[in-house]
Amino acid sequence: MSGGAVFLLVFLPFSLGHYLSCLVRTVNATLAPQLVAAMQLSPGQLGLLTSAFFFAFALAQLPVGMALDRWGPAKVQPPMLLLAGVGALAFAGGQDFAQLLVARAVIGLGLGGCFMSAVKAMSTWIAPARLPSVQGYLIAVGGLGAASATLPVRLALHYTDWRGLFLWLAAAALAIGLLIRWLAPAQPPVARRGPMLAAMKEVCRHPAFREAVALVLLPHTVFFGVQGLWIARWLSDVARFSEAAVAYLLYLGMAAVIFGAIAVGMLTEWAGRRGVRPTSVAAAGVALFIAVQLGFVCNWAPSYQLLSVLFTLVGTVTGIEYAIVAQSLPGALTGRAATLLNLLIFLGAFAVQAGFGLVVGCWTPNPLRQYPAPAYQTAFGALVLLQLPGLIWFLRAGATQSGKMAVPSDPPLSTR
């Protein structure tokens, strides 16, 4: 197909699905005050409600991966978007915490294939040499979706409430599903692959996959889990910003995702030309990401706004996981490796988002239902302690390897 046809028939419809997925994933950060007021939610309930998206999203990864290989994204994605639309309708009509929890999980299940379907479609119809740049554009579209969940949603709440908003999201899911059904080309016939579980075991045994997971997986889950909800609550409870100011800062942070994703890709490519491995770039980024989180632990008051934006900007470096795996594993395993990464990342994000709320909920709120700074400092401190071992392990392994290379070998016997 020509470049214009690929854009209209492949990139546009599938990237819209990824846009919607990122919007819905982060929208609760903006809607949290309304949800808490309407349902009288505790921090633990709010964290569990929002993180249910991640849990269901993770459960969808393995079956979606197998379905995409067998039937292709043009057939798999429309019914999943229909399911997401049903979940959004149920969320709009939910009357208690349990109903909202189930509806949020259904939404996550329905949107669980958006990113993988887009990647699958693009890898099928776009030349391999152009895939890195096109996938960068896909991530940028996701950043636009996350940004749309902040200030634009805040402005939309002047004309509707959170229930009305989810009615519109249901309509959007249905419309995008129909667009994919009408426009996307069917997948060409492909050879059947081996069993999924056998391939997953082979992926897990690969040294490059294990190195990437040990270094970047936990920071990636922290980025997703905190950015999608608790940054907004921290800005409200600790920094004491108004809802309008919180929405604006979230918008700046999500806009930073676009810049950060492009910058990380360019920096990794630049470093690679100079012999620097992507894992070394990732280690530097993870160290900086942990340093930003230490600002939350220390309650660095001089610039709460800067901290919130830096968290999102620097956190985009964790997306380098996919590039590391794609470059290091055999081509036959990259799709399964990406599926496994998604499974681990979103399960971890579920644990981070729900666990953060349980920690914060150990403190007593003020009459405005705001929780004190020590609650957030403790939660961020626990996350830092979880991420440090992976970084220390990588640095020690690198130092050991450098030391072995620096030690001269014994001279041959003839020279002794």
Side-chain angles (χ1 to χ4, degrees):
M1 291 189 293
S2 65
V6 169
F7 175 79
L8 289 175
L9 303 181
V10 178
F11 182 83
L12 179 62
F14 286 104
S15 64
L16 285 175
H18 182 50
Y19 171 92
L20 180 66
S21 176
C22 292
L23 191 162
V24 176
R25 190 186 76 207
T26 55
V27 73
N28 275 12
T30 303
L31 298 180
Q34 287 78 17
L35 293 174
V36 169
M39 298 294 171
Q40 297 298 304
L41 302 178
S42 68
Q45 289 177 315
L46 179 62
L48 184 60
L49 172 63
T50 304
S51 64
F53 178 95
F54 290 119
F55 184 74
F57 199 104
L59 291 182
Q61 294 310 298
L62 294 183
V64 165
M66 291 187 288
L68 288 174
D69 281 343
R70 183 169 183 179
W71 293 296
K75 292 184 178 180
V76 172
Q77 191 59 9
M80 294 195 68
L81 284 168
L82 177 61
L83 179 63
V86 171
L89 286 175
F91 197 94
Q95 299 300 319
D96 56 37
F97 171 71
Q99 292 178 8
L100 293 183
L101 183 68
V102 173
R104 178 77 174 170
V106 171
I107 295 172
L109 191 65
L111 297 178
C114 287
F115 180 74
M116 293 303 298
S117 292
V119 170
K120 177 71 174 178
M122 291 172 193
S123 64
T124 301
W125 296 104
I126 296 175
R130 297 190 58 199
L131 276 178
S133 60
V134 174
Q135 288 185 4
Y137 300 145
L138 176 64
I139 294 174
V141 170
L144 286 174
S148 300
T150 57
L151 190 58
V153 165
R154 170 71 182 169
L155 295 175
L157 291 176
H158 291 292
Y159 305 97
T160 185
D161 60 2
W162 61 272
R163 296 184 186 276
L165 179 66
F166 271 89
L167 290 177
W168 281 105
L169 292 175
L174 176 61
I176 295 171
L178 291 174
L179 192 66
I180 292 174
R181 181 68 181 86
W182 290 335
L183 296 182
Q187 175 177 277
V190 295
R192 295 294 297 272
R193 298 180 180 178
M196 172 69 81
L197 292 181
M200 291 299 181
K201 290 179 180 178
E202 188 175 353
V203 168
C204 291
R205 288 195 294 263
H206 199 285
F209 182 84
R210 297 172 69 173
E211 181 182 48
V213 166
L215 175 64
V216 191
L217 178 64
L218 277 174
H220 204 159
T221 64
V222 168
F223 174 60
F224 271 9
V226 174
Q227 167 251 347
L229 177 64
W230 294 113
I231 285 293
R233 295 298 85 219
W234 177 85
L235 285 169
S236 176
D237 292 0
V238 178
R240 301 298 176 88
F241 287 113
S242 66
E243 289 185 26
V246 169
Y248 178 70
L249 288 170
L250 290 177
Y251 178 77
L252 291 181
M254 300 309 171
V257 170
I258 303 171
F259 174 79
I262 296 173
V264 168
M266 294 175 62
L267 178 61
T268 304
E269 184 178 343
W270 175 85
R273 291 195 297 265
R274 287 155 179 79
V276 179
R277 295 195 308 150
T279 47
S280 298
V281 177
V286 167
L288 185 57
F289 186 50
I290 292 175
V292 172
Q293 293 172 65
L294 286 173
F296 291 94
V297 176
C298 299
N299 201 26
W300 189 51
S303 185
Y304 286 138
Q305 302 98 315
L306 181 61
L307 268 183
S308 66
V309 175
L310 278 179
F311 181 90
T312 307
L313 176 64
V314 178
T316 56
V317 76
T318 58
I320 201 174
E321 255 183 320
Y322 294 101
I324 294 173
V325 169
Q327 290 179 0
S328 304
L329 270 67
L333 293 177
T334 54
R336 309 300 174 96
T339 299
L340 183 56
L341 270 180
N342 276 348
L343 173 65
L344 296 174
I345 289 167
F346 283 95
L347 281 178
F350 162 76
V352 167
Q353 201 165 79
F356 198 103
L358 292 175
V359 172
V360 171
C362 292
W363 275 259
T364 302
N366 63 19
L368 298 177
R369 299 188 63 84
Q370 295 171 324
Y371 286 79
Y376 289 88
Q377 289 174 282
T378 302
F380 275 109
L383 295 180
V384 168
L385 292 177
L386 287 174
Q387 295 167 83
L388 277 176
L391 179 61
I392 294 171
W393 169 85
F394 178 83
L395 295 176
R396 291 184 62 183
T400 302
Q401 185 175 4
S402 299
K404 290 180 179 178
M405 294 177 62
V407 174
S409 59
D410 291 338
L413 292 174
S414 59
T415 63
R416 290 181 182 176

